[in-house]
């Protein structure tokens, strides 16, 4: 694995807002990574900076070891699909796919046509008149068929129904297995994508608040359930990020349990379950915002 | 697979093929740049012909009118101003899309410039051919001048082609420069741009009138040959093209 994206001290001020605030991280490949965060957190701006569409206020970005800005050597190996992509008037799906084939050196036309069928994309309708889901499907098709060495997908399934989202994951993973590359997915549907992700970067108000391997992140918290007094006794003095109580039963989510701790909990009659990535991130970004307010 | 086989291999590293492909984005949907302008142009020509016909009928025949009755009209050159609109629309339509395909601003701008030169050649050749027909038919049977405007009457065929080409490039590249102002600063930028332009034009008129330079200015232009004026036009195109390029380098595709 080598570093595909290296970002250091990256800041972007934009119309009086700090959209990206002193971000530093590196993403390695081949792998699928997640860029997670709430709407307006700075995900799109960060991807636009990485693809050279926006200019940084300060800090550095290296993609394949070079600055991406106005750099065809870097941009020619990259594919960036954003939810808010604007298409020219009169363009239909075949126009978009043809133009894409001119710029992505690893473009696979057969795959693209197969995906058009799979997603049931209307080929005679103007892109501007397509539904949001159909436009998302078009973006997903370009992203998968481009087979670019680095693919950035910004909210790729806005407006897609559950069946189409499943199809998207399915086709993306199938093609990824045959043609490993580096894919960065931005989404707020965290749990759906959780199993795909190698590294998770969470951005909140422009700041990177979590940058961890998904496995480490998942292992970092544990939910315990059992009789209220047993749960409370065990939780005493530990870092609690969530708790709830229903009659005599309670659940609590704790950070930083060792294998030994878990053993003890089990012996105390508590039921152990892993925490979903989504819950964990909601908890941790919630906490970070509280700290921000307190400071 | 045939679609892929006929397309040039995707280029790397700002090679000519990436620039040519950027130009092809404009041609992917030729309606606005290659079809609609001809339709409008044809409609204006048809209207002009109808008016000439009506006047001739009322006068009881062409011989009852002055020889130069249908010499001066702006219909034929109108298409030039429309090309400025075409350039602005074309760039406004495709800039965000091209950057979405990870094309650099430089590749996109050079590709667009290439496409505008191509369009200039197409329109120039078309109009020059129609001019030949106009001459061969004694001005569509009415001694009218549409595709060979009055100031081009003495010019040779080659000079006519060159003059049209020079004019088309001027208007396309002016349009490209204006388009980059729009792409970069939006409608506020356009307002500021045209306000500045109006002030400058007014200032120039004021200076010419105040110091009575009118005869000298028109005399200077009158003394230039058509080819010299075309040369000036090409210089103006190059300046507009360069300004557009410099503005484009910092433009961003904001929604």
């Amino acid at each position: 694995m080598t570093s595909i994206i290296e970002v250091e001290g990256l800041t972007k001020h934009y119309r009086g807002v700090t959209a990206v605030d002193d971000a530093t991280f590196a993403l390695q490949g081949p792998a699928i990574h997640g860029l997670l965060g709430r709407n307006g957190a700075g995900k799109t701006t960060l991807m636009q900076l990485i693809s050279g569409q926006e200019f940084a206020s300060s800090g550095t970005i290296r993609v394949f070891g070079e600055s991406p800005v106005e750099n065809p050597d870097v941009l020619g190996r990259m594919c960036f699909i954003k939810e808010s992509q604007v298409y020219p008037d009169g363009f239909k799906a075949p126009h978009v796919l043809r133009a894409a084939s001119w710029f992505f050196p690893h473009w696979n036309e057969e795959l693209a046509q197969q995906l058009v069928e799979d997603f049931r994309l209307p080929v005679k309708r103007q892109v501007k008149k397509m539904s949001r889901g159909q436009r998302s499907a078009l973006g997903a098709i370009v992203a998968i068929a481009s087979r670019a060495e680095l693919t950035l997908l910004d909210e790729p399934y806005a407006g897609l129904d559950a069946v189409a989202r499943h199809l998207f994951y399915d086709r993306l993973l199938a093609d990824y297995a045959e043609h490993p590359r580096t894919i960065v997915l931005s989404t707020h549907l965290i749990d759906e994508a959780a199993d795909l992700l190698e590294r998770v970067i969470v951005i909140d108000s422009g700041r990177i608040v979590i940058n961890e391997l998904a496995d480490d992140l998942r292992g970092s918290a544990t939910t315990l359930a059992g009789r209220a007094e047993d749960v409370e006794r065990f939780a005493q003095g530990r870092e609690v990020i969530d708790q709830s109580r229903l009659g005599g039963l309670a659940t609590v989510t704790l950070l930083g349990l060792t294998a030994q701790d878990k053993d003890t909990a089990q012996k105390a009659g508590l039921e152990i379950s892993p925490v979903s990535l989504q819950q964990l991130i909601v908890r941790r970004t919630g906490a970070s915002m509280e700290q921000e307010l307190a400071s | 697979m045939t679609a892929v086989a006929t397309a040039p291999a995707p280029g790397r590293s700002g090679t000519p093929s990436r620039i040519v492909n950027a130009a092809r984005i404009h041609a992917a949907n030729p309606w606005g740049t290659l079809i609609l302008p001809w339709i409008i142009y044809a409609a204006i020509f048809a209207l002009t012909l109808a008016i000439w016909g009506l006047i001739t009928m009322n006068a009881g025949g062409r011989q009852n009118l002055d020889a130069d009755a249908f010499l001066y009209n702006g219909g034929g050159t109108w298409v030039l101003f429309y090309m400025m609109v075409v350039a602005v629309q074309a760039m406004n339509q495709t800039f965000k899309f091209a950057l979405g395909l990870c094309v650099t601003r430089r590749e996109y701008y050079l590709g667009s410039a290439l496409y505008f030169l191509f369009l200039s050649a197409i329109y120039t050749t078309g109009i020059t051919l129609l001019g030949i027909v106009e001459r061969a038919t004694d001005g569509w049977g009415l001694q009218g001048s549409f595709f060979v405007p009055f100031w081009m009457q003495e010019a040779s065929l080659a000079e006519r082609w060159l003059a049209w080409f020079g004019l088309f490039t001027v208007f396309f590249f002016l349009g490209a420069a204006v388009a980059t102002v729009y792409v970069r600063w939006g409608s506020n930028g356009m307002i500021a741009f045209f306000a500045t332009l109006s002030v400058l034009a007014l200032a120039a008129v004021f200076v010419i009138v105040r110091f009575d330079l009118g005869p000298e200015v028109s005399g200077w232009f009158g003394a230039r040959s058509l080819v010299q004026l075309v040369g000036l036009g090409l210089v103006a195109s190059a300046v507009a093209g360069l300004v557009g390029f410099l503005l484009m380098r910092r433009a961003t595709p904001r929604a």
Side-chain angles (χ1 to χ4, degrees), chain A residues 226-238:
Chain A
R227 292 197 313 162
E229 53 268 38
D230 294 344
V231 169
E232 269 163 32
R233 194 177 312 126
F234 187 84
Q236 205 121 58
R238 295 181 198 272

Side-chain angles (χ1 to χ4, degrees), chain B residues 1-251:
Chain B
M1 281 313 282
T2 48
V4 174
T6 52
R12 294 216 347 133
S13 312
T15 51
S17 84
R18 273 179 67 96
I19 292 166
V20 171
N21 285 335
R24 293 171 74 199
I25 293 177
H26 287 291
N29 177 17
W31 174 255
T33 53
L34 272 169
I35 301 170
L36 185 62
W38 280 120
I39 293 175
I40 299 176
Y41 200 37
I44 289 179
F45 175 57
L47 278 174
T48 308
L49 269 188
I51 292 166
W52 287 345
L54 279 172
I55 295 173
T56 308
M57 223 162 65
N58 270 345
R62 185 66 180 87
Q63 69 283 352
N64 297 334
L65 292 164
D66 291 342
D68 65 356
F70 302 145
L71 181 58
Y72 303 100
N73 86 83
T77 40
W78 162 88
V79 72
L80 290 166
F81 294 92
Y82 186 65
M83 285 308 147
M84 212 164 115
V85 179
V86 166
V88 172
Q89 280 180 341
M91 291 189 80
N92 187 39
Q93 291 272 322
T94 54
F95 172 68
K96 290 173 186 173
F97 180 65
L99 261 70
L101 291 172
C102 287
V103 176
T104 67
R105 292 164 184 80
R106 179 181 164 275
E107 288 163 342
Y108 171 71
Y109 192 82
L110 293 178
S112 300
L114 194 66
Y115 186 62
F116 292 153
L117 287 175
F118 163 77
L119 287 180
S120 298
I122 293 276
Y123 282 102
T124 296
T125 304
I127 290 174
T128 309
L129 288 175
L130 288 165
I132 292 172
V133 177
E134 185 169 291
R135 282 288 167 92
T137 57
D138 189 26
W140 314 100
L142 297 165
Q143 292 161 42
S145 297
F146 191 87
F147 300 105
V148 187
F150 63 91
W151 47 270
M152 236 185 234
Q153 293 295 316
E154 311 296 319
S156 71
L157 192 62
E159 281 173 340
R160 265 159 35 203
W161 192 91
L162 249 154
W164 278 113
F165 186 74
L167 284 167
F168 271 112
T169 58
V170 169
F171 283 91
F172 270 119
F173 282 91
L174 273 178
V178 173
T180 52
V181 171
Y182 184 75
V183 162
R184 191 156 163 191
W185 289 293
S187 40
N188 289 342
M190 289 292 263
I191 293 164
F193 173 79
F194 281 111
T196 313
L197 201 67
S198 308
V199 170
L200 286 179
L202 208 63
V205 170
F206 175 78
V207 169
I208 290 168
V209 172
R210 174 73 181 76
F211 298 100
D212 204 17
L213 299 172
E216 281 173 56
V217 172
S218 63
W220 187 87
F221 278 102
R224 303 301 119 191
S225 71
L226 194 59
V227 174
Q228 277 175 320
L229 288 175
V230 168
L232 269 179
L234 291 176
V235 171
S237 305
V239 171
L242 188 68
V243 168
F245 182 68
L246 294 175
L247 294 178
M248 176 60 72
R249 288 197 339 184
R250 296 289 297 179

Side-chain angles (χ1 to χ4, degrees), chain A residues 14 52-55 70 72-73 75-78 80 82 85 87-91 95 101-103 109-110, chain B residues 4 10 12-14 18 21 24 28-29 93 96-97 99-100 102-103 105-107 249-250 252-254:
Chain A
Y14 169 46
Q53 290 196 358
E54 283 284 347
F55 300 98
E70 288 296 278
D73 287 333
L75 296 181
R77 299 163 71 183
M78 191 192 290
F80 173 33
K82 72 176 165 186
Q85 179 62 56
Y87 296 92
D89 282 349
F91 263 45
H95 292 123
S101 76
W102 300 334
F103 293 101
E109 182 65 25
E110 268 172 284
Chain B
V4 174
R12 294 216 347 133
S13 312
R18 273 179 67 96
N21 285 335
R24 293 171 74 199
N29 177 17
Q93 291 272 322
K96 290 173 186 173
F97 180 65
L99 261 70
C102 287
V103 176
R105 292 164 184 80
R106 179 181 164 275
E107 288 163 342
R249 288 197 339 184
R250 296 289 297 179
T252 54
R254 275 172 199 154

Side-chain angles (χ1 to χ4, degrees), chain A residues 232-276:
Chain A
E232 269 163 32
R233 194 177 312 126
F234 187 84
Q236 205 121 58
R238 295 181 198 272
E239 205 178 336
V240 178
I241 58 169
D242 193 20
Q243 53 190 334
S244 65
R245 196 174 163 153
L246 189 71
L249 295 173
T251 62
V252 63
T253 304
L254 302 172
L255 283 180
L257 290 194
T258 62
Q260 205 183 349
D261 289 335
K262 288 181 191 172
D263 215 34
T264 316
Q266 211 152 25
K267 279 180 186 147
L270 300 175
E271 196 183 313
I272 299 176
S273 57
V275 182
S276 84

